[in-house]
Amino acid sequence: IGPKTGNLLVARIFPEEDRTADIDIMLISKQGQVIKTNFQSIPVLANRQTFGVKVFRVADDDEVIGLAS
């Protein structure tokens, strides 16, 4: 988290058994943009040197305000 990667907006830890479950997640932005995706479509990162996965791109003047699963 810093100038290169930006701020962390939303984070949630899911148990390993959820990786095989058919779970959808929804991300909501302040300006009303919504994305719904299946949890299994998000790659697992095993290397601790990684910066995470970007699931949802928002405009510079917008931000993610909610996560639902």
Side-chain angles (χ1 to χ4, degrees):
I1 302 172
K4 181 180 176 184
T5 59
N7 295 325
L8 178 65
L9 299 176
V10 176
R12 183 161 178 193
I13 298 173
F14 289 89
E16 184 63 32
E17 57 268 11
D18 284 354
R19 290 296 316 157
T20 58
D22 189 24
I23 297 172
D24 288 332
I25 63 168
M26 286 181 26
L27 295 162
I28 303 104
S29 81
K30 196 174 195 175
Q31 293 183 3
Q33 191 176 7
V34 177
I35 187 171
K36 178 180 171 186
T37 188
N38 189 278
F39 185 64
Q40 293 175 349
S41 70
I42 301 170
V44 175
L45 300 174
N47 183 345
R48 65 185 207 139
Q49 299 289 328
T50 58
F51 291 107
V53 176
K54 188 178 284 191
V55 178
F56 188 28
R57 289 181 195 251
V58 294
D60 289 339
D61 61 341
D62 199 3
E63 62 184 330
V64 175
I65 59 168
L67 168 78
S69 60

